[in-house]
């Protein structure tokens, strides 16, 4: 059993910063990749940023230069540092992790966090 918990959302003024966290726990062999997605009200879920085991990252053009994804492999935790926030960044942010289970490392599974609300407003 694996649990994925994302947290750190809140209300912030335009130009402000927030840091989201995503922690995976349970019977884990390894975490291959972790990513953040977001879904604004009335819109489809969209990709924000991803980090793989080697530390390589990729980010959506809309957040490039403002958001930074990082991870602590020892803690199976990913972070999303969000700076220079804009009202259009308002959304529920979801963490996704691709995990190999300790019971059968040959297979990978995709897990989603429950989501954390980010609201950018004055």
């Amino acid at each position: 059993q694996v649990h994925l918990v994302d947290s750190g959302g809140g209300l912030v003024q335009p130009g402000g910063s927030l840091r989201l966290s995503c922690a995976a726990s349970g019977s884990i062999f390894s975490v291959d990749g972790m990513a953040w997605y977001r879904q604004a009200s009335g819109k489809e879920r969209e990709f924000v940023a991803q980090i793989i085991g080697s530390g390589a990252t990729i980010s959506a053009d809309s957040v490039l230069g403002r958001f930074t994804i990082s991870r602590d492999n020892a803690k199976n935790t990913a972070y999303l540092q969000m700076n220079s926030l804009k009202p259009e960044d308002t959304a529920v942010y979801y963490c996704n992790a691709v995990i190999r289970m300790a019971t059968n490392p040959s297979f990978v599974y995709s897990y989603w966090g429950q989501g954390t609300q980010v609201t950018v407003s004055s």
Side-chain angles (χ1 to χ4, degrees), residues 21-75:
S21 298
C22 172
S25 62
S27 184
I28 297 171
F29 178 78
S30 66
V31 180
D32 284 8
M34 302 185 83
W36 289 95
Y37 290 75
R38 66 186 181 185
Q39 187 168 18
S41 179
K43 296 187 177 181
E44 293 186 353
R45 191 171 298 189
E46 65 175 4
F47 169 79
V48 176
Q50 180 184 34
I51 185 167
I52 62 175
S54 67
T57 64
I58 185 170
S59 301
D61 289 344
S62 59
V63 305
L64 207 57
R66 300 187 299 122
F67 293 9
T68 302
I69 188 170
S70 61
R71 63 187 286 177
D72 183 334
N73 290 331
K75 296 181 179 179

Side-chain angles (χ1 to χ4, degrees), residues 90-112:
T90 295
V92 179
Y93 283 70
Y94 296 92
C95 177
N96 175 265
V98 177
I99 294 173
R100 295 182 185 272
M101 303 290 286
T103 52
N104 194 344
S106 298
F107 293 93
V108 293
Y109 299 89
S110 177
Y111 290 89
W112 289 92

